[in-house]
Amino acid sequence: MFLSVFDIFKIGVGPSSSHTMGPMVASGMFLALLRGSHFKAHGLRARLYGSLAFTGKGHATDRATILGLAGLLPESYDHEAAEAVLAQNTKDHLLNPEGLGPLVFNPETDLIFDYGPALEGHANGMVLEALDKQGDVLAQETYYSIGGGFVRSAREMAAADDAAAKDAPSPVPFGFRSSDEMLSMAHASGLGIAQMKLQNEARFRSRPEIEAGLSRIWEVMNGCLSRGLETDGILPGGLKVKRRAKAIHDALHSERGQNLQAPHIVNDWISTYAMAVNEENAAGGQVVTAPTNGAAGVLPAVIRYWLDHVPGASRARVGEFLLTAAAIGGLIKTNASISGAECGCQAEVGSAAAMAAAGLCAVMGGTPEQIENAAEIALEHHLGMTCDPVRGLVQVPCIERNGLGAIKAVSAASLSLRGDGTHFVPLDAAIETMRQTGRDMHEHYKETSLGGLAVNVPNC
């Protein structure tokens, strides 16, 4: 299955691509289903399962579901409009999606957190229902938020698992489904990874559209990062986590030019860039999945480090960085997962670090073999990382974890550039190991907040 760079990088809203953006998207899909039906619904009901239930309130899944059923979408999210919808629903228990409303929806009774077994299709499952005046079900659909803002209905999940579909011919000229195929195609064509990815994208969009889209992605990423560096205060959610990026960034600026400054201070710059993004994400700001919201700080931090601190860096090559990173992200999502609820944080920050390492290696002159090596190093050294957010909030340990993921990405790219691309563990093996590790990991450590730091540190 071809994954566009614009599938991997989506503009949306925090704090979670799977738990906030996904339910909004799923709700929008359900509204579209209702608009195409012949009956008139009187009310709506939503039931959340698995990780969506266990960490839903911390991830704003309740808010996202209400807003999605009111017709709001992540890509056009407006904070003031959202707050108005929520306030009105609290008052009258009605939602007014275009062409369907008013529809009865009382969050106290119609938004159900089911803490029983997860649905079979994925750890992030939800069932949406349209009801008549008697409360009988007129229409029902099951949706799965599979990470990074991607949503599939139960039918789409079944179709995706179909062996014939997996073996279908690729619609793009370089339809690599593994890193081994990617390197073989690069060698045969004489093209770089970003060039192959660009040719794939060109099957669906014009070159100016691709360039404009990539520019927009970086504009939003960088804007989010810059806002984070300029904003202080306490993050919402009850943990009273203090924003730190601005204070650290201000201190780093004041220390510039001092004699005998330790070389490792550059790590503080990298961490601060990443933390700035994830503090904005935790506050519910506009963010780009990279490949998820929970890991959204890694890749823009590495790009900003490259642009601001590496001699010879050029804004004109950010598109090359993003295309290369998206190629790696697509391989990981296709062959394993980018969902913390499915494979732990190795699938989120680990994937982001692999993507960022590949992108940095590419713009610093790496060969396809060195790029693959950079991605492998970064992913390998996140294997086994659990997803254990305290109180279900995308704050502790998520914000700092992005900083360390960005540092690992830079180190991985640097190590790969010191070699010739030959290495012991292929990226494909690291991806498969991540998949197997996620499969074997106890559900307490996969975005349920039932284990790890979530139960071993104070929650207030």
Side-chain angles (χ1 to χ4, degrees):
M1 178 176 133
F2 171 69
L3 288 175
S4 169
V5 63
F6 304 111
D7 293 324
I8 295 295
F9 300 117
K10 299 185 187 73
I11 298 171
V13 61
S16 172
S17 49
S18 57
H19 290 60
T20 314
M21 290 173 59
M24 288 181 73
V25 171
S27 297
M29 292 167 66
F30 189 63
L31 293 180
L33 184 152
L34 295 183
R35 292 187 183 103
S37 67
H38 62 278
F39 52 77
K40 171 64 176 174
H42 176 73
L44 300 169
R45 184 163 61 207
R47 190 182 298 270
L48 308 175
Y49 293 87
S51 180
L52 292 183
F54 283 106
T55 65
K57 292 183 179 178
H59 285 65
T61 308
D62 46 356
R63 288 170 50 94
T65 302
I66 297 169
L67 295 172
L69 290 174
L72 278 72
L73 292 171
E75 60 267 25
S76 56
Y77 181 82
D78 179 275
H79 179 73
E80 290 187 6
E83 293 302 316
V85 167
L86 294 170
Q88 189 64 39
N89 179 251
T90 299
K91 184 183 300 184
D92 61 17
H93 297 157
L94 295 173
L95 295 174
N96 287 278
E98 184 177 354
L100 294 171
L103 298 170
V104 174
F105 187 86
N106 181 352
E108 295 297 321
T109 56
D110 295 321
L111 182 57
I112 301 163
F113 291 79
D114 192 317
Y115 300 108
L119 300 179
E120 291 185 4
H122 192 276
N124 292 330
M126 62 191 300
V127 175
L128 299 177
E129 297 173 335
L131 311 174
D132 63 17
K133 288 185 178 181
Q134 289 72 45
D136 294 328
V137 177
L138 294 172
Q140 175 181 290
E141 186 61 85
T142 299
Y143 297 99
Y144 296 101
S145 180
I146 60 175
F150 290 90
V151 175
R152 287 179 181 166
S153 67
R155 286 187 291 273
E156 289 169 334
M157 288 288 281
D161 290 335
D162 182 70
K166 291 181 179 179
D167 293 334
S170 174
V172 294
F174 298 100
F176 47 84
R177 303 186 188 191
S178 67
S179 64
D180 184 58
E181 288 184 355
M182 179 180 73
L183 293 178
S184 295
M185 290 180 183
H187 179 74
S189 66
L191 299 175
I193 293 171
Q195 292 173 306
M196 292 193 296
K197 185 67 175 166
L198 182 59
Q199 289 201 20
N200 288 347
E201 298 291 338
R203 290 294 298 271
F204 306 98
R205 293 174 174 85
S206 69
R207 183 68 68 91
E209 286 175 325
I210 296 168
E211 292 175 353
L214 293 172
S215 180
R216 174 62 177 158
I217 287 170
W218 172 239
E219 177 187 345
V220 176
M221 282 182 172
N222 196 41
C224 177
L225 194 160
S226 296
R227 287 192 304 275
L229 294 178
E230 297 165 358
T231 308
D232 54 18
I234 304 297
L235 293 172
L239 288 181
K240 299 181 179 179
V241 172
K242 184 179 180 180
R243 286 182 181 247
R244 291 180 290 161
K246 180 181 186 300
I248 297 172
H249 189 245
D250 290 347
L252 288 168
H253 268 288
S254 68
E255 294 165 7
R256 267 185 161 171
Q258 291 182 3
N259 293 328
L260 302 178
Q261 194 173 55
H264 68 254
I265 294 299
V266 72
N267 288 335
D268 295 347
W269 286 94
I270 299 169
S271 292
T272 302
Y273 294 150
M275 290 168 61
V277 173
N278 284 86
E279 287 175 355
E280 280 293 291
N281 178 64
Q286 188 181 54
V287 69
V288 177
T289 61
T292 67
N293 282 25
V298 175
L299 194 136
V302 174
I303 296 178
R304 185 72 171 261
Y305 157 75
W306 171 62
L307 289 174
D308 289 2
H309 301 268
V310 178
S314 168
R315 168 67 179 78
R317 298 187 68 190
V318 169
E320 180 184 351
F321 192 119
L322 293 172
L323 287 165
T324 305
I328 300 302
L331 290 178
I332 296 172
K333 186 183 183 305
T334 298
N335 295 306
S337 176
I338 57 171
S339 168
E342 189 171 23
C343 285
C345 198
Q346 59 175 353
E348 296 207 29
V349 171
S351 297
M355 292 165 61
L360 181 60
C361 184
V363 296
M364 293 189 68
T367 64
E369 290 78 13
Q370 288 172 318
I371 292 167
E372 184 262 357
N373 186 198
E376 183 279 322
I377 294 171
L379 182 60
E380 179 182 347
H381 298 291
H382 283 89
L383 291 176
M385 183 175 282
T386 61
C387 183
D388 49 355
V390 176
R391 198 186 277 185
L393 297 166
V394 193
Q395 297 180 17
V396 179
C398 318
I399 294 171
E400 284 182 353
R401 190 168 282 176
N402 274 258
L404 275 293
I407 290 171
K408 284 187 182 182
V410 173
S411 296
S414 184
L415 279 174
S416 69
L417 288 166
R418 294 289 183 179
D420 61 3
T422 59
H423 54 105
F424 191 79
V425 179
L427 176 58
D428 288 333
I431 293 173
E432 174 59 16
T433 301
M434 191 257 275
R435 187 193 68 81
Q436 293 176 7
T437 303
R439 178 196 62 196
D440 296 339
M441 189 182 289
H442 196 285
E443 66 177 13
H444 284 187
Y445 303 103
K446 293 193 285 188
E447 210 166 358
T448 58
S449 293
L450 295 175
L453 289 176
V455 300
N456 285 297
V457 299
N459 279 269
C460 61

